[in-house]
């Protein structure tokens, strides 16, 4: 067998370091619950490195998020908030002072994990309509956080467990001399005598200590204002940013969190398909038929592998861009922020936003497919597949509602001049690798042109379905482009395996959208049969190269922990009886 391609060479040393944690008592699979999550978080953070140091070594940080996404989604979620949101806000928007320095030091050492306190009870996706107040007290030179009514209660931050204090970023409206100066970020240390924190009842897909919070005139030091470029003068507040830009900046840590989520979700998808592939190469159905001897099973698994590789190359692109931006000190463009309705803090990072949506959808789809392919073993939590499904369900909301993000991106695509090229005849290779990108590009361009003429910017509601579809088609186009780039830089037997996966992913996309192409004349009825035949051939090629492709995902069984993902799973389960 050929050696694995160097897809993850830059972060494999970090993963190897973190794998040492798997033998520690706090990572024993028999230990569960909130306390276990935060004990693991502290062990993880102390090995990975101090929060401020990791802020300036983004490659190591994102490698850690990928590892945590495979090992423990609750750990990953808490780490994402700690490093992505809280640390980013403290470092990029805070100014050194005695009060903030002391809190940041606790964040740095993992003694006090980070949290974000943004969403409010009265409206879903309420970050653009935050009503919690931060009132400046001139006499005391402090701020008072106040919840004006029950609709403004903060909901879902992971701060309910009292075993550890938290260093939170609270988003609230800055009120100075009775004037509202928009949404700003403030540091806050839980517990606080004037902050009422109650655990939300019930459970959630990712088990964390979610809370509902009322600020009952909670006073904080002036130095906790993460003021960024805004200043307070005797005459009021001077802020070079407009209201939407300030909101975007105050929630800028979500941008880092979204990148962390995208790479972690993709890493979990790699783990899910690795478990299913390793089990199904051993699984016998009936007397002696291997599971992958059924064409239904083999094709579903092949498509899952192809989708995981495709999403990996797309999220790797935004990972690379994020690392470059962070190292260069780039804060991003403000283009599109003033007109953004649902997620202005992400409006200037379309690829980053859509990669999170793509990774969430891929993990949800792939994990569900793998669960079904593994029969009764697939539903056992010990085999991880349902855990990864739950992770995907959670992240359709965490980091921004997937549908709202797609609508935001779709509306941006209507006004951009960066439309995909569609030149080049489709010719007779309708099922070929390159025809998929041409047809998807044509779909995106025509749909964008049609909508640009029909949609009223002041009332897009009648066309929201097609606006969302445009964003999804754009994701497929960008994913195909990144997949092609990866193949160009690959040679030898690996190129053959990746080309088969790339073709299968493109054919899945065309078959899924065949109705649109038939309606618009870019496919004819007979072409569907050609696509289906090409799909069968591509799935067989992926299945033939399955071992090589799974090895290339670099997800060892020991890291995943699923019993059925090991070659000796029968012996391991049998030993439970001893």
């Amino acid at each position: 067998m050929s050696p694995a391609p160097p897809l993850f060479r830059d972060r494999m040393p970090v993963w190897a370091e973190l794998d040492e944690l798997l033998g520690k008592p706090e990572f024993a699979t028999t230990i569960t619950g909130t306390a276990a999550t935060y004990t693991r978080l502290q062990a993880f953070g102390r090995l990975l490195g101090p929060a401020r140091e990791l802020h300036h070594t983004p490659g190591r940080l994102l490698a850690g998020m990928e590892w945590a996404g495979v090992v423990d989604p609750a750990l990953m979620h808490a780490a994402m908030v700690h490093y992505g949101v809280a640390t980013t806000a403290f470092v990029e928007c805070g100014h050194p002072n005695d009060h903030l320095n002391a809190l940041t030091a606790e964040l740095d050492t993992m003694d006090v994990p980070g949290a974000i306190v943004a969403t409010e009870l009265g409206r879903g996706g309420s970050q653009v309509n935050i009503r919690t107040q931060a009132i400046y007290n001139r006499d005391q030179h402090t701020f008072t956080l106040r919840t004006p009514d029950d609709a403004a209660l903060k909901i879902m931050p992971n701060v309910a467990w009292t075993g550890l204090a938290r260093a939170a970023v609270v988003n609230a409206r800055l009120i100075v001399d009775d004037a509202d100066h928009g949404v700003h970020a403030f540091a806050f240390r839980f517990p606080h005598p004037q902050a009422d924190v109650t655990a939300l009842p019930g459970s959630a897909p990712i088990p964390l200590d979610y809370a509902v919070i009322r600020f009952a005139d909670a006073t904080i030091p002036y130095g906790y204002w993460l003021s960024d470029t805004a200043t307070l003068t005797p005459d009021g507040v001077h802020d070079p940013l407009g209201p939407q830009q300030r909101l975007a900046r105050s929630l800028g840590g979500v941008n880092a969190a979204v990148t962390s989520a995208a790479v972690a979700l993709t890493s979990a998808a790699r783990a899910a398909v690795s478990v299913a592939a390793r089990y199904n190469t051993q699984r016998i159905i009936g007397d002696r038929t291997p599971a992958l001897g059924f064409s239904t099973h083999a094709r579903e698994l092949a498509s899952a592998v192809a989708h995981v590789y495709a999403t990996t190359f797309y999220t790797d692109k935004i990972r690379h861009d994020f690392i470059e931006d962070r190292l260069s000190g780039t804060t991003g463009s403000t283009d599109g922020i003033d007109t953004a309705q649902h997620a202005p803090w992400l409006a200037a990072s379309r690829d980053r936003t859509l990669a999170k949506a793509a990774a969430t959808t891929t993990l949800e789809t792939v994990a569900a497919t793998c669960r079904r392919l593994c029969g009764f073993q697939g539903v056992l939590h010990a085999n991880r597949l349902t855990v990864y499904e739950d992770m995907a369900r959670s992240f359709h909301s965490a980091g921004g509602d997937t549908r709202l993000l797609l609508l935001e991106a779709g509306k941006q695509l209507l006004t951009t001049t960066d439309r995909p090229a569609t030149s080049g005849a489709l010719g007779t290779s309708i099922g070929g690798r390159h025809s998929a990108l041409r047809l998807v590009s044509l779909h995106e361009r025509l749909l964008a042109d049609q909508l640009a003429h029909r949609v009223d910017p002041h009332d897009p509601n009648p066309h929201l379905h097609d606006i969302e579809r445009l964003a999804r088609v754009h994701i497929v186009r960008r994913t195909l482009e990144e997949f092609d780039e990866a193949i160009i830089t690959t040679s030898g037997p690996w190129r053959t395996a990746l080309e088969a996966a790339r073709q299968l992913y493109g054919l899945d996309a065309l078959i899924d959208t065949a109705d649109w192409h038939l309606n618009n004349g870019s496919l004819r009825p007979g072409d569907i049969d050609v696509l289906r035949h090409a799909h069968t051939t591509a799935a067989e090629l992926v299945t033939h190269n399955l071992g090589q492709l799974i090895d290339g995902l670099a997800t060892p069984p020991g890291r995943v922990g699923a019993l059925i993902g090991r070659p000796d799973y029968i012996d391991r389960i049998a030993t439970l009886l001893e």
Side-chain angles (χ1 to χ4, degrees):
M1 182 176 292
S2 302
L7 300 181
F8 312 107
R9 182 176 292 165
D10 57 338
R11 56 263 216 197
M12 288 181 77
V14 181
W15 295 345
E17 282 183 64
L18 289 166
D19 280 345
E20 295 297 318
L21 291 173
L22 298 175
K24 304 292 184 183
E26 53 264 49
F27 278 83
T29 56
T30 54
I31 301 174
T32 59
T34 300
T37 296
Y38 287 104
T39 300
R40 288 175 181 172
L41 176 65
Q42 289 184 314
F44 169 82
R46 287 166 183 164
L47 189 152
L48 198 60
R52 281 176 289 189
E53 183 179 308
L54 284 174
H55 184 80
H56 300 292
T57 52
R60 183 174 178 84
L61 171 61
L62 293 180
M65 295 299 104
E66 289 175 303
W67 183 89
V70 171
V71 171
D72 185 345
L75 162 65
M76 176 266 149
H77 194 290
M80 175 196 74
V81 174
H82 177 87
Y83 291 111
V85 183
T87 301
T88 299
F90 280 36
V91 171
E92 294 188 355
C93 294
H95 296 281
N97 63 78
D98 289 345
H99 289 107
L100 186 61
N101 291 349
L103 188 57
T104 305
E106 292 182 299
L107 189 78
D108 227 11
T109 59
M110 275 288 180
D111 291 333
V112 179
I116 180 172
V117 183
T119 303
E120 295 178 352
L121 178 62
R123 291 192 178 109
S126 61
Q127 290 90 336
V128 295
N129 293 296
I130 285 171
R131 296 175 57 246
T132 300
Q133 299 172 340
I135 303 165
Y136 177 57
N137 310 303
R138 282 195 182 274
D139 293 343
Q140 293 81 30
H141 199 48
T142 59
F143 292 97
T144 296
L145 292 181
R146 177 177 298 162
T147 301
D149 52 55
D150 287 353
L153 291 170
K154 295 291 191 181
I155 190 168
M156 287 299 284
N158 55 306
V159 298
W161 187 58
T162 57
L164 285 173
R166 307 300 161 82
V169 178
V170 178
N171 293 104
R173 307 199 75 82
L174 174 61
I175 309 295
V176 178
D177 300 329
D178 296 325
D180 186 330
H181 294 277
V183 176
H184 288 246
F186 297 84
F188 193 88
R189 193 182 195 279
F190 289 98
H192 189 289
Q194 278 74 51
D196 300 325
V197 178
T198 300
L200 283 169
S203 59
I206 290 182
L208 284 172
D209 53 325
Y210 302 111
V212 60
I213 301 168
R214 185 193 306 278
F215 293 108
D217 291 341
T219 299
I220 58 174
Y222 179 84
Y224 276 13
W225 179 26
L226 305 177
S227 56
D228 189 35
T229 55
T231 55
L232 188 60
T233 69
D235 299 325
V237 176
H238 174 70
D239 193 346
L241 300 183
Q244 287 288 81
Q245 293 172 325
R246 173 52 58 203
L247 173 64
R249 184 68 175 153
S250 296
L251 285 162
V254 177
N255 225 318
V258 162
T259 304
S260 294
V263 299
L265 290 158
T266 305
S267 186
R270 293 196 292 268
V273 81
S274 296
V275 169
R278 287 169 180 149
Y279 177 53
N280 276 276
T281 56
Q282 304 175 76
R283 183 185 179 202
I284 301 298
I285 298 176
D287 290 337
R288 57 174 68 89
T289 306
L292 295 185
F294 291 84
S295 60
T296 48
H297 293 55
R299 287 179 192 175
E300 275 203 330
L301 183 60
S303 282
V305 171
H307 280 251
V308 166
Y309 266 96
T311 304
T312 291
F313 291 127
Y314 186 30
T315 57
D316 263 19
K317 165 62 174 169
I318 65 105
R319 173 186 172 276
H320 179 266
D321 290 348
F322 177 82
I323 291 171
E324 283 201 338
D325 288 350
R326 177 66 64 82
L327 292 177
S328 66
T330 303
T331 57
S333 167
T334 59
D335 294 345
I337 287 177
D338 288 331
T339 58
Q341 292 178 297
H342 306 299
W345 56 94
L346 294 173
S349 304
R350 186 167 63 231
D351 252 351
R352 205 166 290 168
T353 305
L354 292 179
K356 179 260 181 184
T360 305
T361 302
T362 295
L363 177 57
E364 183 176 46
T365 304
V366 164
T369 296
C370 292
R371 168 176 48 78
R372 291 191 298 270
L373 287 172
C374 292
F376 76 92
Q377 293 276 16
V379 301
L380 299 177
H381 275 30
N383 288 324
R384 311 294 292 161
L385 299 175
T386 55
V387 175
Y388 295 141
E389 275 191 276
D390 284 345
M391 183 183 182
R393 291 191 187 102
S394 179
F395 273 92
H396 274 304
S397 298
D401 182 278
T402 294
R403 171 157 276 174
L404 296 180
L405 296 182
L406 290 171
L407 291 174
E408 195 82 84
K411 284 185 285 185
Q412 280 188 22
L413 291 167
L414 295 183
T415 58
T416 184
T417 57
D418 180 26
R419 298 281 168 82
T422 57
S423 59
L426 294 175
T428 57
S429 61
I430 194 69
R433 179 164 69 85
H434 298 293
S435 65
L437 180 56
R438 293 192 190 117
L439 283 167
V440 171
S441 297
L442 178 67
H443 188 173
E444 181 182 348
R445 188 178 188 91
L446 290 182
L447 189 56
D449 288 345
Q450 292 164 2
L451 288 171
H453 290 97
R454 297 202 313 256
V455 173
D456 179 352
H458 303 291
D459 183 24
N461 199 55
H463 303 285
L464 290 183
H465 177 78
D466 283 333
I467 290 172
E468 180 181 352
R469 175 187 286 191
L470 174 61
R472 293 189 184 278
V473 174
H474 177 81
I475 289 173
V476 176
R477 193 257 294 182
R478 288 289 300 114
T479 301
L480 286 167
E481 289 173 342
E482 295 305 328
F483 211 146
D484 280 348
E485 284 296 315
I487 288 175
I488 288 171
T489 59
T490 304
S491 59
W494 270 105
R495 183 172 183 130
T496 301
L498 288 180
E499 282 186 334
R502 158 63 174 80
Q503 184 174 7
L504 184 56
Y505 174 78
L507 288 164
D508 276 339
L510 293 182
I511 290 170
D512 285 346
T513 57
D515 58 342
W516 186 91
H517 288 287
L518 287 170
N519 285 340
N520 286 272
S522 45
L523 285 178
R524 298 164 297 179
D527 291 333
I528 305 301
D529 289 336
V530 175
L531 289 176
R532 293 194 181 281
H533 177 74
H535 186 277
T536 299
T537 301
E540 288 172 352
L541 280 171
V542 170
T543 302
H544 178 73
N545 291 283
L546 185 62
Q548 192 174 36
L549 288 166
I550 294 301
D551 286 346
L553 296 175
T555 309
R559 187 179 304 147
V560 181
L563 292 170
I564 60 171
R566 299 172 183 269
D568 58 346
Y569 80 94
I570 292 175
D571 291 339
R572 284 178 176 270
I573 294 176
T575 59
L576 297 175
L577 296 170
E578 298 176 1

